[in-house]
Amino acid sequence: MNRLTTVILAAGYGKRMKSELPKVLHKVSGEPMVRHVVDLANEVESDQVVCVVGHGKELVEKALMDKKVNFAIQEVQLGTGHAVKSASDYIKEGEVLVLFGDAPLLSYKTLSEFIAFHRANHYTASLISTLFEDPSGYGRIVRDAQGDFLRIVEHKDATAEELSIKEINSGIGIFEAEVLIKALDSLKNDNKQGEYYLTDVFEWVKLSGMPVGAFVTSDSYEVMGINDRMALAEAEKYHQTQIKKQIMLSGVTLVMPETIFIEKSVQIGQDTIVEPGTILRGATQIGSQCVLGPNSEIIDSKIQNKVKVMHSKVTESSIDDASAIGPFAYLRPKSRIGKNCKIGDFVEVKNCEIGDDTKVSHLTYVGDGVVGKNVNLGCGVVFVNYDGAKKHLTEIEDNVFVGCNTNLIAPVKVGKGAYIAAGSTITDDVPENALAIARERQVNKTNWSNKYQKNK
Ligand code: UD1
Ligand code: CA
C-alpha cells in the first residue's frame, strides 16, 4: 500500500468571517473546525498528517497540541496551491490527500469511499465534487461535451456561462506525490485573486495526459466550506443533526432534539432520556436509563446508570448509580457522588467525595470534604473551607446527621453516628455517636412585650 500523507490547509485569514480568531478555530459542535478535520485525517489512517499554518499560527498550533499532527508554515498566504507547496518537506512519495481546515463536515464514510474510488481507478489526481442549488462562491467543475473533466474555474474567474454550472469543487483532493510536486512548481497566479490555485493542478494533470477522477457525492452538505458566520450556523445545525441521529439510533431518547446540544466525544447508554435544553460536552460518559434535563449542562463527567440530573450543571465530576441531582444543583470539579444519593436544590458541591445513600437536600455548600455513607446534611449547612488564605478539609463519617444551618469550620471531623444540633457552629471535632450543640442557649423573658408596650 502507498504511503498516505494528509495535508490540511489552515493558514488562510478567513476575511469573510470578520473575526480576530483564525477562521479554522471557529467552533462546530464545541470544537474548532480544524480539530474535526485532523481527527478525520487520522481516522482514514494517514501515515502522516501535516497541517499548514500561517495566519494566527500560534493559536492554531496550540489548538492542536494534543493531536497527532505535524506543522508546516506558510508565511504569506499566496493561495491554496502555494499552501500545499509549503508542506513539500513532507510530500516526497506515495499519495497526498488534501483537506481544508474550513470544511469540517466531511464524514469518514464519504472520505474513505473517495480514497477507494481514486485507488481502484488508478487516477493520478482525484477530487470530490457535488451539485449545489446555489453554487456561488465555489469553484466550478468544467466538463467537455462527453462529460469528461476538463478543469476547475474559480467563481471570481468564471464567465457568465461557467457561473451557471452547478457542479462545484469541494477542495478535497488526492494526488500522486511526484506529479503533485511537479504540477505545483508549474502553477501561475495569473487570475483575478493573484493566487496560486491548487485547483489548477487538476487541469495540469489532465493536459499532461494523466487520468483525473471526479467523485460526485450526493451528500453535498458534507463538503460545505465555512467562509462566513451564516455558513458556520448552518454547519453547526448539520453537524449536530448527524451526532444526534447516531445517538438516537443507538437507543437513546432525545426529547425535542433540536433544543439539545451534544458534542461528538460524548457517550450515552441505552434507554437514557435527554430532555429539552440539555447540553452534553467533552469527555462525558453517561450510563443507561438516566434522565438528563430538562435544562442541564454536563461537562467532562462520568455518570453511571439510572441517574437523574434536573435543571443542573455538572463539571468534571462523577455520579454513581441511581442518584438524583437537582433541580438547580451545581457540581463543580472533583465532586464524586456515590450511589443512591440526593443532591437537591441550590446545593453546590466542589472537590468532595459523598458516600452512598447520603442526602444533601437543599441550600447547602459542600466544598473540600469527605462525606461518608447515609449522612444527612440539613438545609443551609455550610462547609466553611476557606480561611482567606488556605482551603481546609471537612470529614464526616457514616450515619452522621447534621442539623439545619450548621457551619462546619474546617479543618474539622465528625465521627460516625454523631448528631449536630441545628444552628451550630462547629469548630472542634465531634466524637462518634455524640450530640454536638454549639450555639447560645435561648433565654425567654416572660411578659416582656407587655412591659415594653407600657413604657413606650
Ligand atoms: C476553495 C477552492 C474552491 C472550492 C472551495 C471549497 C481554491 C483556489 N479554491 O475556495 O475551488 O470550491 O475552496 O470550499 O482552492 N488556505 C491556506 N493558505 C492560503 C489560502 C487558503 O492555508 O494561502 C486555506 C484556508 O485556511 C482554508 C482553505 O485553504 O482552510 C481554503 O481556502 P479559502 O480561501 O477558503 O478557499 P475558497 O475561496 O473557499
Ligand atoms: Ca473556503
Side-chain angles (χ1 to χ4, degrees), residues 194 333 385:
N385 60 330

Side-chain angles (χ1 to χ4, degrees), residues 43-232:
E43 269 177 76
V44 294
E45 287 173 13
S46 307
D47 293 292
Q48 54 178 353
V49 179
V50 187
C51 188
V52 180
V53 293
H55 173 71
K57 62 175 184 290
E58 295 80 13
L59 292 174
V60 179
E61 287 183 14
K62 197 170 157 217
L64 294 172
M65 225 160 50
D66 58 326
K67 298 277 177 200
K68 208 174 104 197
V69 61
N70 302 292
F71 294 100
I73 294 169
Q74 185 193 26
E75 292 292 356
V76 272
Q77 284 69 60
L78 300 179
T80 49
H82 180 263
V84 175
K85 209 173 159 182
S86 312
S88 50
D89 281 353
Y90 294 93
I91 42 184
K92 302 269 183 254
E93 41 151 28
E95 295 169 324
V96 180
L97 172 67
V98 176
L99 302 176
F100 283 6
D102 72 345
L105 303 180
L106 189 62
S107 70
Y108 170 79
K109 180 172 170 281
T110 301
L111 185 58
S112 43
E113 281 170 11
F114 168 60
I115 296 170
F117 157 89
H118 171 77
R119 288 176 181 162
N121 294 292
H122 304 288
Y123 291 120
T124 304
S126 303
L127 58 88
I128 303 184
S129 73
T130 196
L131 298 172
F132 271 159
E133 208 32 63
D134 173 14
S136 53
Y138 288 90
R140 311 292 208 281
I141 308 291
V142 183
R143 293 177 183 267
D144 65 16
Q146 282 71 50
D148 285 339
F149 173 88
L150 285 180
R151 61 197 173 87
I152 299 168
V153 60
E154 287 304 294
H155 182 103
K156 287 185 177 147
D157 302 306
T159 62
E161 195 186 334
E162 287 164 340
L163 285 177
S164 69
I165 299 172
K166 295 220 187 301
E167 188 185 1
I168 64 97
N169 169 40
S170 69
I172 295 140
I174 186 164
F175 311 85
E176 260 173 40
E178 287 94 346
V179 177
L180 175 64
I181 295 289
K182 267 192 226 149
L184 290 173
D185 281 337
S186 76
L187 286 183
K188 301 219 166 46
N189 65 348
D190 51 355
N191 50 54
K192 280 273 164 57
Q193 305 189 76
E195 289 185 356
Y196 297 93
Y197 290 162
L198 177 65
T199 46
D200 288 344
V201 166
F202 295 98
E203 186 181 13
W204 188 93
V205 173
K206 175 85 183 179
L207 293 175
S208 307
M210 292 176 277
V212 172
F215 179 83
V216 189
T217 177
S218 54
D219 294 312
S220 39
Y221 256 104
E222 283 192 22
V223 299
M224 188 173 153
I226 313 306
N227 297 320
D228 58 29
R229 312 250 185 175
M230 292 290 286
L232 185 67

Side-chain angles (χ1 to χ4, degrees), residues 147-421:
D148 285 339
F149 173 88
L150 285 180
R151 61 197 173 87
I152 299 168
V153 60
E154 287 304 294
H155 182 103
K156 287 185 177 147
D157 302 306
T159 62
E161 195 186 334
E162 287 164 340
L163 285 177
S164 69
I165 299 172
K166 295 220 187 301
E167 188 185 1
I168 64 97
N169 169 40
S170 69
I172 295 140
I174 186 164
F175 311 85
E176 260 173 40
E178 287 94 346
V179 177
L180 175 64
I181 295 289
K182 267 192 226 149
L184 290 173
D185 281 337
S186 76
L187 286 183
K188 301 219 166 46
N189 65 348
D190 51 355
N191 50 54
K192 280 273 164 57
Q193 305 189 76
E195 289 185 356
Y196 297 93
Y197 290 162
L198 177 65
T199 46
D200 288 344
V201 166
F202 295 98
E203 186 181 13
W204 188 93
V205 173
K206 175 85 183 179
L207 293 175
S208 307
M210 292 176 277
V212 172
F215 179 83
V216 189
T217 177
S218 54
D219 294 312
S220 39
Y221 256 104
E222 283 192 22
V223 299
M224 188 173 153
I226 313 306
N227 297 320
D228 58 29
R229 312 250 185 175
M230 292 290 286
L232 185 67
E234 225 179 304
E236 182 77 47
K237 197 170 167 192
Y238 175 82
H239 200 258
Q240 277 295 300
T241 304
Q242 299 309 308
I243 291 176
K244 289 183 280 193
K245 209 190 259 178
Q246 287 308 313
I247 288 175
M248 288 189 272
L249 291 174
S250 76
V252 174
T253 297
L254 303 184
V255 182
M256 305 240 317
E258 60 287 0
T259 69
I260 294 170
F261 176 91
I262 304 178
E263 292 182 6
K264 70 176 178 185
S265 44
V266 172
Q267 292 171 18
I268 310 181
Q270 204 173 299
D271 285 321
T272 281
I273 298 172
V274 184
E275 302 215 309
T278 294
I279 298 168
L280 306 174
R281 294 183 188 277
T284 290
Q285 289 180 321
I286 289 160
S288 49
Q289 298 180 50
C290 294
V291 180
L292 309 177
N295 299 323
S296 292
E297 183 174 14
I298 303 176
I299 307 164
D300 294 325
S301 294
K302 197 169 162 110
I303 290 176
Q304 303 293 341
N305 305 318
K306 298 187 176 170
V307 168
K308 286 195 171 118
V309 179
M310 297 155 271
H311 293 280
S312 292
K313 176 159 177 166
V314 178
T315 310
E316 294 168 49
S317 291
S318 64
I319 306 170
D320 211 336
D321 291 347
S323 286
I325 312 298
F328 313 113
Y330 182 18
L331 303 193
R332 290 168 56 201
K334 296 193 190 137
S335 300
R336 296 180 300 281
I337 314 296
K339 291 188 176 58
N340 200 30
C341 290
K342 177 177 180 186
I343 308 294
D345 51 272
F346 307 104
V347 172
E348 177 175 332
V349 182
K350 183 211 75 171
N351 184 33
C352 189
E353 192 175 321
I354 292 186
D356 298 347
D357 301 306
T358 285
K359 310 269 178 278
V360 189
S361 295
H362 16 233
L363 298 158
T364 288
Y365 174 61
V366 188
D368 301 306
V370 179
V371 177
K373 294 181 182 163
N374 193 36
V375 168
N376 194 307
L377 299 182
C379 179
V381 170
V382 175
F383 284 27
V384 184
N385 60 330
Y386 187 48
D387 61 12
K390 279 194 191 139
K391 303 282 168 68
H392 301 280
L393 184 74
T394 298
E395 286 174 87
I396 298 187
E397 294 188 338
D398 297 348
N399 305 318
V400 164
F401 182 97
V402 181
C404 292
N405 254 356
T406 293
N407 294 313
L408 296 154
I409 314 286
V412 72
K413 182 172 174 178
V414 183
K416 259 183 243 159
Y419 278 67
I420 296 178

